[in-house]
């Protein structure tokens, strides 16, 4: 397929704004909440991250696809974004250990992609007007029809999506003879989280999003983990109850991203939908305990209400986002529990925050002694 011979495609925002581009050759129409990621690498990990389920991803990096894909670098069992918007899509790739081109990979997943979009203008518009629903079409569907379809698209606020990406049945990860056993609640877990735990001598049993505490407890774990995932945390009442039950037993508990928000809700602290979320691998965070700064990978559209956290007698703020002051981490004063809003397992990076997995293991060791 010649680059200059591709059909026109469009991105229609909920407020009626239209951006034009070209199809990469996968025909169809898809909708979701439009969001942008500022990472310069890691597009494969972004596309397969379950936390992005229900979102049309806009990549700010000008070139997507230039290093192909590698089957060992996925974060789940397939593409999880609803659609892709980019500036330049590379059909050819130059990485020696790539297993195939990004086009071939996305074609198998039937992902709708629109390229040749002025992504600088699009991201600037989203920054000013907030995240909103959008629809992209590469099959020539009339704009009026697309507008009608977009009217019926569900809003992200109040939307439960963990059930769409969670495992249907429990499964194991790691060495069964490992020193520590972890029960993980899968709200949309990334594979690299499991890799990081396994690398620290953990054997993990991963449970579906709606598993009860007794299910997780039956594994007789040394610690519990609440994973990342997509959507609004508020509707996840079962997961919140699991968090409450774990805290009642005061077993080591670690939460990341959506899991962090679930722990907050379990303690009576509210969450809210952000005007624009944090998505990228260059977000600055300050560890308020050590005073050190961290460059972090983040992907979330909801956050914990800081004012309520500050007033909670049993919780304290441990990490703060330096761009906007939002809650990036917290811990309980009277329980063996901590959580962060960002991703210490980041792949391809940064790795400033990988110490948090070591902290979790130290908490487990302390509880066993």
């Amino acid at each position: 397929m010649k680059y200059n011979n591709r059909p026109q495609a469009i991105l229609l925002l909920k407020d009626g704004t239209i951006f034009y581009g070209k199809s990469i050759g996968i025909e169809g129409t898809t909708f979701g909440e439009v969001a942008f990621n500022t990472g310069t690498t890691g597009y494969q990990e972004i596309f397969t991250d379950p936390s992005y389920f229900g979102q049309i991803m806009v990549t700010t990096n000008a070139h997507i696809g230039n290093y192909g894909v590698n089957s060992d670098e996925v974060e789940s069992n397939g593409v999880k974004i609803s659609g892709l918007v980019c500036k330049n899509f590379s059909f050819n790739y130059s990485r020696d250990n790539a297993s195939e081109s990004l086009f071939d990979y996305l074609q198998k997943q039937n992902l709708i992609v629109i390229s040749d979009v002025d992504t600088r203008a699009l991201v600037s518009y989203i920054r000013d007007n907030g995240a909103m629903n959008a629809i992209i079409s590469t099959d020539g569907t009339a704009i009026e029809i697309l507008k009608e379809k977009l009217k019926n698209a569900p809003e992200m606020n109040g939307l439960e999506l963990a059930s769409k990406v969670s495992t249907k049945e429990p499964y194991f990860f790691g060495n069964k003879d490992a020193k520590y056993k972890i029960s993980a609640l899968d709200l949309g877990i990334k594979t690299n989280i499991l890799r990081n735990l396994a690398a620290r001598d953990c054997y993990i049993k991963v449970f579906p999003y709606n598993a009860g505490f007794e299910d997780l407890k039956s594994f007789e774990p040394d610690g519990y983990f609440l994973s990342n995932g997509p959507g609004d945390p508020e509707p996840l009442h079962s997961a919140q109850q699991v968090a409450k039950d774990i805290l009642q037993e005061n077993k080591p508990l670690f939460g990341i991203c959506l899991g962090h928000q679930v722990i907050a809700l379990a303690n009576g602290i509210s969450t809210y939908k952000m005007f624009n979320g944090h998505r990228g691998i260059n977000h600055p965070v300050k560890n308020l305990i050590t005073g050190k700064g961290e460059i972090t990978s983040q992907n979330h559209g909801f956050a914990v209400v800081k004012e309520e956290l500050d007033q909670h007698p049993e919780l304290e703020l441990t990490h703060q986002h330096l761009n906007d002051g939002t809650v990036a981490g917290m811990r309980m004063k009277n329980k063996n529990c901590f959580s962060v809003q960002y991703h210490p397992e980041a792949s391809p990076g940064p790795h400033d925050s990988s110490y948090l997995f070591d902290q979790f293991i130290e908490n487990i060791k302390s509880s066993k002694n």
Side-chain angles (χ1 to χ4, degrees), residues 90-249:
S90 299
F91 291 89
N92 299 315
Y93 61 93
S94 58
R95 185 167 59 149
D96 287 341
N97 67 346
S99 43
E100 61 183 329
S101 71
L102 180 60
F103 175 77
D104 289 339
Y105 181 70
L106 297 182
Q107 189 176 45
K108 292 174 185 176
Q109 306 275 326
N110 197 33
L111 185 78
I112 310 304
V113 182
I114 173 174
S115 69
D116 293 72
V117 174
D118 187 345
T119 49
R120 290 179 299 178
L122 174 56
V123 169
S124 179
Y125 189 87
I126 298 170
R127 285 189 187 277
D128 291 341
N129 295 276
M132 68 182 79
N133 279 346
I135 191 166
I136 57 177
S137 180
T138 61
D139 58 8
T141 301
I143 291 176
E144 292 306 315
I145 296 176
L146 295 178
K147 287 182 178 179
E148 285 301 312
K149 288 186 176 183
L150 193 52
K151 285 180 182 178
N152 299 320
E155 297 289 339
M156 188 64 73
N157 201 8
L159 193 60
E160 185 278 300
L161 293 176
S163 59
K164 307 295 185 183
V165 295
S166 178
T167 182
K168 303 303 180 186
E169 299 291 337
Y171 66 91
F172 297 93
F173 191 97
N175 179 4
K176 65 179 181 179
D177 297 320
K179 188 173 183 180
Y180 307 108
K181 293 166 64 178
I182 306 295
S183 284
L185 191 65
D186 177 12
L187 305 176
I189 198 165
K190 292 173 66 177
T191 303
N192 209 41
I193 289 174
L194 299 174
R195 294 190 192 108
N196 270 273
L197 290 171
R200 288 163 173 81
D201 209 11
C202 293
Y203 185 47
I204 310 104
K205 187 172 183 179
V206 184
F207 293 85
Y209 81 104
N210 57 353
F213 174 64
E214 292 302 321
D215 297 322
L216 275 70
K217 185 179 179 181
S218 67
F219 187 50
E220 299 181 346
D222 300 301
Y224 294 87
F225 178 78
L226 302 185
S227 85
N228 62 292
D232 191 337
E234 201 284 326
L236 295 173
H237 302 299
S238 174
Q240 293 168 37
Q241 185 59 52
V242 168
K244 291 177 182 178
D245 292 338
I246 295 171
L247 294 174
Q248 183 67 32
E249 290 213 354

Side-chain angles (χ1 to χ4, degrees), residues 292-325:
K292 294 181 179 180
E294 304 170 24
I295 300 301
T296 68
S297 172
Q298 302 206 5
N299 168 23
H300 61 103
F302 291 81
V304 172
V305 177
K306 182 177 182 298
E307 292 75 16
E308 294 183 20
L309 175 61
D310 290 338
Q311 295 172 10
H312 199 287
E314 298 176 356
L315 280 158
E316 66 175 326
L317 180 70
T318 59
H319 298 76
Q320 190 165 13
H321 199 293
L322 292 178
N323 284 350
D324 58 11

Side-chain angles (χ1 to χ4, degrees), residues 1-8 22-25 91 115-116:
M1 179 182 291
K2 292 184 178 180
Y3 185 83
N4 61 357
N5 230 7
R6 295 183 283 122
Q8 188 181 73
K22 294 181 179 180
S23 168
I24 69 165
F91 291 89
S115 69
D116 293 72

